[in-house]
């Protein structure tokens, strides 16, 4: 946790420094709207770092357009739509970014888009907003994501538990787009497969005491508790208090629970085997190359949503290059062209190759750190959901859920 706090402090300091030093006229500003504070603050620093790594690779290989450097401007959306709106407004209308990576939470992503991104004709790519609600957003083809929808994660989580012989669960979820969207899909799939959700309770984030909710959940008789919330918010509090009550044996969480803060103040032995799911990467050349690049930069290539953040940032740079200018107009169409077939494959870090092909008028097709990034009509992508487990006090990835 101390390392993450230090990383966050460095990110904020770097942002302040960027704001203090005027960019050159030909620099291209791209925003990173991250949930640096709030219930996923322990997940945010590696995601920001993943996006910045992509920009660093572009800048080190000649920059965009006619040698312009990418200048990243970081904002904090706090996993809160009411905070995300003003933060996005600053990036769009004051900082005048061409496009944005983010936000990270679904509610913040939608809040940023509706308040400033869509009115400003600004393309956003979220690396981690996973709620199904994003699919149906009326966004003028401006809002994308590089992680699969929870319409997929919820199915895979249910199938995973059923394959392990877990047939009866109590379910609680944070009462927002993310929590409800994931919970609804999970419950439907789990029950269709023969499972039983003995108790189902929404909860509000930010409370100090969830013992009443836990009593309701335990009343259903299940010894398996599914918590769909955040590692730095209600998820951690509920897990800690559930362990204290002793009413449950097995704990399960979604991607929002996979953070260093989750196990703070909890006896690791009591949650050994905690089951979690999150978006992962396809096995292959692109994922292997990203892992190498991330490790060379001193980053953890397995950090939650860091690969997807790299892809979002690299894609924005490719779209700017394809569009031929730092203008917002036309960027969405350019993004679709560089992300999908047909075209010559571009892998993470291959900026010089991509730039040369674009200059020659040739099509390119980016295969990212998380795998192919073929956006559908709604700006969604397919993907891989992986299983993780707590072993020896830390999360260990167990592999893709087939």
């Amino acid at each position: 946790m101390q390392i993450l706090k230090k990383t966050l402090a460095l990110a904020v300091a770097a942002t302040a420094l960027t704001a203090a030093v005027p960019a050159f006229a030909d620099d291209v500003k791209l925003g990173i709207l991250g949930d640096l504070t709030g219930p996923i603050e322990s997940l945010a620093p590696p995601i920001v770092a993943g996006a910045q790594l992509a920009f660093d690779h572009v800048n080190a290989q000649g920059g965009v357009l006619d040698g312009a450097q990418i200048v990243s401007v970081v904002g904090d959306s706090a996993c809160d739509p009411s905070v995300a709106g003003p933060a996005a407004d600053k990036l769009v209308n004051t900082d005048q970014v061409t496009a944005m990576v983010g936000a990270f939470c679904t509610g913040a992503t939608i809040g940023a888009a509706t308040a400033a991104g869509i009115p400003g004709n600004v393309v956003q790519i979220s690396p981690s907003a996973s709620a199904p609600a994003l699919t149906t957003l009326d966004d003028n083809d401006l809002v994308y994501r590089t992680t699969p929808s929870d319409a997929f994660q919820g199915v895979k989580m249910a199938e995973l538990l059923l394959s392990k012989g877990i047939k009866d669960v109590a379910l609680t979820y944070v009462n927002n787009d993310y929590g409800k969207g994931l919970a609804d899909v999970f419950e439907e799939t789990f029950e269709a497969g023969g499972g039983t959700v003995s108790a189902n309770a929404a909860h509000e984030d930010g409370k100090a005491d969830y013992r009443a909710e836990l009593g309701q959940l335990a009343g259903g008789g299940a010894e398996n508790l599914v918590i769909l919330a955040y590692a730095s918010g209600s998820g951690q509090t509920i897990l800690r208090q559930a362990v204290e009550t002793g009413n449950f044996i097995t704990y399960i969480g979604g991607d929002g629970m996979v953070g260093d803060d989750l196990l703070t103040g909890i006896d690791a032995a009591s949650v050994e085997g905690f089951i979690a799911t999150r978006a992962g990467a396809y096995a292959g050349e692109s994922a292997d190359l990203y892992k190498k690049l991330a490790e060379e930069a001193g980053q953890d290539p397995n950090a939650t949503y860091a690969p997807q953040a790299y892809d979002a940032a690299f894609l924005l740079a490719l779209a700017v290059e394809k569009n031929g200018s730092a203008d917002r107009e036309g960027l969405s169409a350019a993004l679709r062209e560089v992300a999908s077939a047909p075209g010559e494959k571009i892998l993470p870090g291959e900026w010089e190759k991509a730039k040369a092909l674009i200059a020659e008028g040739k099509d390119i097709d980016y295969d990212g750190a998380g795998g192919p990034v073929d956006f559908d009509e709604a700006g969604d992508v397919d993907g891989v959901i992986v299983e993780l487990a707590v072993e020896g006090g830390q999360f260990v990835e167990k592999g893709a859920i087939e």
Side-chain angles (χ1 to χ4, degrees), residues 335-361:
L335 173 63
R336 288 190 175 277
E337 289 188 49
V338 299
S340 305
E344 186 165 342
K345 291 295 183 184
I346 298 297
L347 304 181
E350 293 187 336
W351 178 255
E352 287 179 312
K353 175 182 176 182
K355 188 170 181 175
L357 290 169
I358 291 171
E360 294 169 8

Side-chain angles (χ1 to χ4, degrees), residues 127-206:
S128 54
S130 56
L134 202 62
T135 300
T136 56
L137 180 66
D138 186 8
D139 62 5
N140 296 333
D141 203 31
L142 292 168
V143 182
Y144 298 78
R145 55 181 160 192
T146 50
T147 191
S149 166
D150 285 333
F152 184 49
Q153 182 183 186
V155 168
K156 289 300 182 181
M157 178 186 290
E159 291 176 350
L160 175 66
L161 297 192
L162 292 169
S163 74
K164 292 178 178 293
I166 297 174
K167 299 292 182 69
D168 187 7
V169 303
L171 169 65
T172 184
Y173 60 90
V174 62
N175 189 22
N176 62 16
D177 287 332
Y178 164 71
K180 186 174 186 338
L182 182 52
D184 286 349
V185 174
F186 168 79
E187 181 176 29
E188 179 181 355
T189 307
F190 189 68
E191 292 186 336
T196 300
V197 178
S198 62
N200 184 336
H203 67 265
E204 301 303 321
D205 194 36

Side-chain angles (χ1 to χ4, degrees), residues 52-326:
Q52 186 60 54
L53 181 61
F55 293 153
D56 290 345
H57 287 158
V58 172
N59 288 338
Q61 296 177 48
V64 293
L65 305 173
D66 295 321
Q69 294 283 286
I70 292 176
V71 175
S72 60
V73 186
V74 181
D76 180 14
S77 47
C79 198
D80 183 338
S82 68
V83 177
D89 180 73
K90 179 182 180 299
L91 290 175
V92 171
N93 297 311
T94 301
D95 298 313
Q96 290 289 307
V97 299
T98 298
M100 292 187 286
V101 175
F104 300 166
C105 292
T106 302
T109 300
I110 294 175
T114 55
I118 297 170
N121 196 30
V122 170
V123 169
Q124 287 177 241
I125 308 179
S126 173
S128 54
S130 56
L134 202 62
T135 300
T136 56
L137 180 66
D138 186 8
D139 62 5
N140 296 333
D141 203 31
L142 292 168
V143 182
Y144 298 78
R145 55 181 160 192
T146 50
T147 191
S149 166
D150 285 333
F152 184 49
Q153 182 183 186
V155 168
K156 289 300 182 181
M157 178 186 290
E159 291 176 350
L160 175 66
L161 297 192
L162 292 169
S163 74
K164 292 178 178 293
I166 297 174
K167 299 292 182 69
D168 187 7
V169 303
L171 169 65
T172 184
Y173 60 90
V174 62
N175 189 22
N176 62 16
D177 287 332
Y178 164 71
K180 186 174 186 338
L182 182 52
D184 286 349
V185 174
F186 168 79
E187 181 176 29
E188 179 181 355
T189 307
F190 189 68
E191 292 186 336
T196 300
V197 178
S198 62
N200 184 336
H203 67 265
E204 301 303 321
D205 194 36
K207 292 173 57 178
D209 192 339
Y210 292 97
R211 290 177 179 84
E213 288 90 338
L214 285 166
Q216 177 187 346
L217 292 164
E223 295 182 333
N224 309 297
L225 177 62
V226 177
I227 307 170
L228 305 179
Y230 302 122
S232 299
S234 60
Q236 201 279 338
T237 307
I238 289 172
L239 179 61
R240 175 167 44 81
Q241 293 177 353
V243 168
E244 291 169 358
T245 66
N247 290 323
F248 301 97
I249 295 175
T250 303
Y251 300 97
I252 303 102
D255 51 340
M257 296 286 279
V258 186
D260 285 2
D261 275 6
L262 184 68
L263 304 181
T264 302
I266 298 176
D267 174 27
S270 63
V271 291
E272 183 76 7
F274 181 108
I275 301 165
T277 58
R278 72 172 182 196
Y282 288 94
E285 185 181 7
S286 60
D288 291 343
L289 180 54
Y290 166 74
K291 180 178 180 180
K292 176 177 179 290
L293 294 171
E295 289 175 343
E296 287 175 352
Q299 296 184 15
D300 177 5
N302 298 313
T304 301
Y305 291 121
Q308 288 78 14
Y310 184 98
D311 291 342
F314 205 80
L315 279 166
L316 287 182
L318 288 171
V320 169
E321 189 70 28
K322 179 70 174 180
N323 203 32
S325 76

